[in-house]
Amino acid sequence: MREPAPSFFAKMRSHATSLLLVVIATALGLYVWIDRDQPSTTQIEARKGNLLPIFRQDDLREIVIEQGPHKITLARRETADAGEATYDLIEQDGKPQDAVTADQFAVDKLVHALQDASPLRHVEGQDLKSLGLDPPLHMLTVNLGSVVYRIGIGDEAKSPKNARFVSLEGQGAYVLSPASAQDFMRPIDSYRTRRIVPVGVTELAAIEVAGSQGTLRLARGSWGGFRVESEPAKPRASSLRLDRIYRASADLNAEHFVDPKLASRIVDGAERKIRLSLTPKSGPRVELVLAGACPIHNDTSVDASTDNPPSAAKLVVAIRTAPTPVHACVPSSVFDDLDLAPASVVDRRVFRGTADEVEELRIVQGDRELELARAGTGWHERKPQDSELADEDVAGYLAALLTVEGTIAIEADEKKLGLSPPHATIRLQHPSLDSLDIPPQQVEIGGRVTTQEGASIAVRRREDGAILLVPASTAPLFEPSTAHMRSTALLQVGAQQMQRVEVRFGQGQRQILRRRGPGFEMLEPKGYAVDAALAADLFDTVSHLRAERWVAERDDGSFGLGTPSLIARMTFDEQGKEQTRSLRLGTETQQGRYGRWDPDTGVFVLSRATEKALQTYAIDRLVFMVDPSEVHLLRLEAGTKDVWIGVTGDSWRSQRGSMHPMDEATIAKIRQLLSELRAEGVVTLGAAKPEQGFAKPQLRVEVQSVLRKEKIAFSIGYGDVWRSMNVVYVRRDGVEATYAIAQSKVLPLIEAMGGP
């Protein structure tokens, strides 16, 4: 017989224990949820010595800072991601949607100061007004969700120094340590981010700069760079010019914040302005204007009420109008970096980038083809033959190819320029960067055309469609020839093996040096002492002669080698046999001079440094240095002024002349300068030239020696620039040569004689 089913109450009794446990767990969970914001007894006990009885960073919602009439709110940004909290800054009358990113470092310092602040002592029995706390100088309102603290900062306490009185609403007054007081009173501006441009350059889709030279508009191109939209044909922008704009964007950091009304008044009154508009790929546009001298901490010579050129000041005013307003002073360098003529931003190079960035090269001209690819530390030639090439043998060619530039042709006839179809094509492949696939550069080579500048080659950049006219002399670089990839080492022998170097200059003069024992002997020009350092440098240079790059397989008459500017003949010992090789230099090029290494027919470029060593006379440069121990009588004459200085032992004193008596300090300076008067080199041999200024020298120096009968005398002529150096011409009596001495060594002598 089947037993009767249990009743409902019987079932409930059987589950009573489980139900009770569920109820208890739910109640505990509800209690924990309700009490989640309440500090534990342990937490309260641990913070007994702190100013704020309860403080958990995770509970912090906002901090309101009031300093006099100014007020800001630092609001915690709500994010779904875990990690460190970030804060926005809302101005006094601003709305949450107007918030800007606060300076996170400054906010973190304040948060930690609030968490760790411990009063030095409690203040009792004193009126809050007498402590500067009614009203307080500064006020901090700290919102922790379940509790809100209002902290007032008052006057300085007498002890310790720089301590401050503070009040905690509902708790009383305290003395706060100097460090904590300083953290609480940090200026409002310190919480404002100094970054004026809140977007990185890689995030930009367009840039517009309106300055004194016109309006420049840039838009991102398919290759990742920018087009100059404001110029005809919308060509590619120069990376060097873009770097200036990028640098200006990076330098747009607030040095000082300025009252908005004052900033607007300065900008409105300035004639020279720059307006910058940055459009990111996503997000709001950034708009700002720069103009006028900063009224804060600028040069004392700058009057902020006038329209001083920003270059005259350290800082200029910048007003950002979007996405949120900012009024600040920024470095004046950004003004010049942004004030660019639109035409100057156009990239006139055929290829962008550098030789180090090239991964593959392919040139196709009819049935001829050249293909190279990087392989380890060198290059692999795939076509026209399979071979390995050293990096240094390819680097010079690539460097030259990537520096070719020309002029942009507007509304060009492609057929007349030989670009429809092109005579040749060149493809450069760059390595990819992470997930960014960089498209290859492709260029089409046209025919020769005649322009006002001379013969040119038409070239079209496929990525922006721009057509350039480049010098015809660069044509060999666009040919699929391995003649450019020859070894750049011309001569490699030991410096001691080099026995004789003869250099014939274009003017017909010669310098012949030969090794003699441990030193050198000058055979021509005759009668000059050898400068051992210069001679050793020349012999070392020609012993390790190297070309910058090869240009052509043979001379076609366009390199100036038929009427050379210099011919050098080197005689050296090689395995016991005397060998002679000749170097011929032609016309100047961007990297140096064209050269030929006879009897080789190839044409290369020789560096300027090597050319300089070959053109330098190895003639003694110490002919003007005066040893103080040899001087008996010294005379200096500058125009109508002169002075005679007599020497007795170590005593130098003026004796007569229009500058007599001359003070000891000036005489000591003259003595030192004459002892260090070394020339930079010989400029010309033979008689002085009229333009060198020796008909009426700036200074004449005569020295009577105690060791020799002949007088040492030299004259200082005009100033000039020689080998990119500011020099003066100098000649010594009895030496048929004009030397160059750095102006910095001579001008103090002229100044000592009352000269300018």
Side-chain angles (χ1 to χ4, degrees):
M1 182 176 172
R2 192 174 65 179
E3 296 183 3
S7 67
F8 171 77
F9 293 103
K11 291 180 181 179
M12 289 299 294
R13 282 196 299 271
S14 66
H15 294 292
T17 302
S18 298
L19 288 171
L20 180 61
L21 290 174
V22 170
V23 170
I24 292 172
T26 303
L28 284 173
L30 182 62
Y31 172 79
V32 170
W33 182 81
I34 294 173
D35 195 53
R36 71 193 189 284
D37 289 333
Q38 304 302 316
S40 66
T41 303
T42 303
Q43 289 173 329
I44 294 175
E45 187 67 25
R47 292 191 58 82
K48 266 190 175 181
N50 292 102
L51 177 67
L52 304 183
I54 303 170
F55 193 92
R56 290 184 299 211
Q57 289 192 33
D58 290 343
D59 297 337
L60 185 59
R61 300 291 180 266
E62 67 178 24
I63 304 170
V64 179
I65 303 174
E66 297 174 77
Q67 295 180 359
H70 305 292
K71 174 184 174 182
I72 61 168
T73 300
L74 301 174
R76 184 166 180 163
R77 186 182 301 162
E78 296 297 332
T79 58
D81 298 330
E84 293 188 6
T86 56
Y87 291 82
D88 289 332
L89 186 151
I90 304 172
E91 296 289 352
Q92 183 161 351
D93 300 321
K95 299 177 181 179
Q97 57 265 34
D98 297 327
V100 297
T101 302
D103 186 293
Q104 302 303 310
F105 179 74
V107 176
D108 286 344
K109 287 192 69 174
L110 177 59
V111 171
H112 285 98
L114 290 167
Q115 178 176 271
D116 300 335
S118 299
L120 299 177
R121 59 183 181 273
H122 195 274
V123 179
E124 296 180 330
Q126 292 194 47
D127 182 51
L128 290 180
K129 193 169 186 178
S130 67
L131 304 177
L133 291 167
D134 187 17
L137 300 176
H138 302 283
M139 178 69 72
L140 298 176
T141 302
V142 183
N143 185 343
L144 293 167
S146 62
V147 61
V148 176
Y149 294 114
R150 287 179 60 81
I151 304 168
I153 300 98
D155 295 336
E156 283 192 21
K158 292 183 179 179
S159 177
K161 186 178 181 181
N162 296 325
R164 288 271 177 178
F165 294 113
V166 299
S167 63
L168 182 61
E169 191 174 66
Q171 301 293 326
Y174 305 87
V175 174
L176 197 63
S177 69
S180 295
Q182 184 180 11
D183 286 334
F184 283 8
M185 296 179 67
R186 188 172 288 112
I188 280 179
D189 283 348
S190 65
Y191 299 103
R192 294 187 171 100
T193 180
R194 302 280 163 173
R195 194 82 183 89
I196 303 295
V197 177
V199 60
V201 294
T202 58
E203 304 170 54
L204 294 176
I207 302 170
E208 183 172 310
V209 185
S212 65
Q213 303 186 68
T215 299
L216 168 67
R217 290 188 298 276
L218 302 170
R220 187 75 70 174
S222 60
W223 62 94
F226 283 92
R227 287 179 178 272
V228 186
E229 293 283 316
S230 50
E231 286 296 293
K234 300 180 180 180
R236 187 174 69 204
S238 163
S239 59
L240 293 177
R241 293 295 188 177
L242 285 174
D243 285 345
R244 286 184 59 175
I245 297 175
Y246 296 161
R247 181 176 62 199
S249 176
D251 289 344
L252 273 168
N253 296 316
E255 297 288 336
H256 304 284
F257 291 95
V258 184
D259 177 78
K261 291 182 179 178
L262 176 58
S264 297
R265 189 163 61 248
I266 292 173
V267 168
D268 290 343
E271 292 182 8
R272 187 183 177 202
K273 295 182 178 73
I274 294 232
R275 297 187 182 277
L276 178 64
S277 176
L278 304 173
T279 304
K281 297 173 183 176
S282 62
R285 181 182 297 179
V286 179
E287 302 276 358
L288 58 94
V289 59
L290 296 92
C294 177
I296 305 172
H297 297 297
N298 235 319
D299 291 343
T300 56
S301 61
V302 175
D303 180 3
S305 64
T306 62
D307 184 31
N308 290 281
S311 58
K314 294 178 182 178
L315 303 171
V316 294
V317 174
I319 298 179
R320 189 181 74 193
T321 56
T324 53
V326 174
H327 301 77
C329 292
V330 299
S332 62
S333 60
V334 301
F335 213 105
D336 292 327
D337 281 338
L338 290 174
D339 198 9
L340 300 170
S344 71
V345 183
V346 172
D347 189 355
R348 290 178 169 79
R349 296 181 305 162
V350 174
F351 295 98
R352 53 181 166 81
T354 64
D356 293 337
E357 298 170 344
V358 178
E359 194 78 5
E360 295 183 9
L361 166 69
R362 184 169 182 252
I363 304 177
V364 178
Q365 185 179 44
D367 57 356
R368 298 172 61 203
E369 189 171 348
L370 172 67
E371 188 172 342
L372 303 176
R374 285 194 185 272
T377 59
W379 290 81
H380 176 210
E381 180 189 341
R382 295 170 178 166
K383 295 178 181 180
Q385 59 184 10
D386 193 293
S387 65
E388 303 301 320
L389 300 172
D391 182 65
E392 59 267 23
D393 296 340
V394 180
Y397 164 69
L398 283 178
L401 182 66
L402 269 64
T403 55
V404 174
E405 59 180 36
T407 57
I408 303 292
I410 307 300
E411 298 180 356
D413 187 324
E414 296 183 9
K415 193 166 186 178
K416 289 183 178 179
L417 294 177
L419 289 167
S420 181
H423 293 192
T425 59
I426 302 178
R427 182 178 183 273
L428 287 184
Q429 178 66 57
H430 299 277
S432 297
L433 300 175
D434 298 328
S435 59
L436 179 63
D437 187 22
I438 300 178
Q441 294 187 70
Q442 298 186 64
V443 166
E444 297 173 342
I445 310 301
R448 287 180 177 252
V449 293
T450 302
T451 65
Q452 293 180 346
E453 290 76 24
S456 300
I457 299 292
V459 177
R460 175 165 51 202
R461 298 188 301 227
R462 289 286 296 275
E463 65 185 14
D464 66 347
I467 296 176
L468 294 88
L469 300 178
V470 303
S473 59
T474 62
L477 295 171
F478 305 134
E479 297 175 357
S481 170
T482 55
H484 311 297
M485 287 78 173
R486 295 174 52 184
S487 172
T488 54
L490 302 176
L491 181 63
Q492 292 291 321
V493 299
Q496 293 297 321
Q497 294 175 255
M498 188 63 58
Q499 299 301 311
R500 175 184 166 116
V501 177
E502 176 182 342
V503 181
R504 185 184 298 274
F505 303 100
Q507 303 86 350
Q509 296 171 323
R510 291 195 306 175
Q511 175 174 250
I512 303 175
L513 292 168
R514 71 177 177 188
R515 191 177 294 281
R516 186 172 184 179
F520 303 91
E521 178 184 13
M522 182 169 287
L523 303 179
E524 286 191 35
K526 298 183 182 298
Y528 296 94
V530 176
D531 188 304
L534 290 177
D537 181 58
L538 174 61
F539 272 58
D540 184 64
T541 298
V542 298
S543 298
H544 304 87
L545 205 59
R546 180 178 288 275
E548 287 292 292
R549 60 182 177 86
W550 289 91
V551 176
E553 296 181 22
R554 61 186 65 256
D555 181 13
D556 63 359
S558 64
F559 303 106
L561 296 168
T563 55
S565 61
L566 180 149
I567 297 177
R569 186 182 299 272
M570 284 72 78
T571 302
F572 53 94
D573 179 80
E574 188 174 53
Q575 297 180 349
K577 294 183 179 180
E578 186 178 275
Q579 303 287 339
T580 300
R581 294 294 299 269
S582 294
L583 171 69
R584 182 182 296 257
L585 298 185
T587 54
E588 191 174 9
T589 185
Q590 189 174 0
Q591 294 173 297
R593 282 192 182 271
Y594 292 118
R596 192 175 71 217
W597 185 233
D598 294 335
D600 197 312
T601 61
V603 179
F604 52 82
V605 173
L606 194 72
S607 71
R608 296 189 188 280
T610 303
E611 180 193 6
K612 178 182 175 181
L614 290 167
Q615 290 181 333
T616 299
Y617 285 106
I619 295 175
D620 184 19
R621 294 171 291 171
L622 306 182
V623 294
F624 303 102
M625 293 178 66
V626 177
D627 185 347
S629 64
E630 290 188 21
V631 179
H632 171 61
L633 186 64
L634 174 66
R635 181 175 183 261
L636 292 92
E637 180 183 6
T640 59
K641 300 175 183 178
D642 70 330
V643 66
W644 295 75
I645 299 173
V647 180
T648 304
D650 288 334
S651 176
W652 289 47
R653 296 188 182 279
S654 65
Q655 295 179 344
R656 61 184 186 273
S658 63
M659 299 287 289
H660 173 71
M662 182 175 280
D663 62 87
E664 292 184 10
T666 302
I667 293 175
K669 185 177 182 180
I670 290 172
R671 174 180 177 173
Q672 180 181 352
L673 290 168
L674 289 175
S675 68
E676 299 172 350
L677 207 60
R678 192 187 79 160
E680 300 300 324
V682 172
V683 180
T684 57
L685 294 177
K689 299 180 181 295
E691 62 270 20
Q692 293 171 344
F694 293 106
K696 192 177 180 180
Q698 295 189 74
L699 183 67
R700 172 82 176 168
V701 179
E702 298 178 357
V703 181
Q704 292 185 16
S705 172
V706 296
L707 300 179
R708 62 188 80 182
K709 290 183 179 180
E710 66 273 13
K711 180 172 60 178
I712 301 172
F714 56 88
S715 300
I716 296 173
Y718 292 158
D720 203 349
V721 176
W722 182 69
R723 293 184 175 176
S724 302
M725 183 186 307
N726 291 323
V727 299
V728 292
Y729 296 125
V730 186
R731 288 182 69 91
R732 175 169 165 171
D733 292 6
V735 180
E736 287 297 295
T738 298
Y739 293 76
I741 298 182
Q743 287 186 13
S744 59
K745 297 177 181 178
V746 175
L747 290 182
L749 269 175
I750 298 173
E751 290 169 359
M753 291 298 296

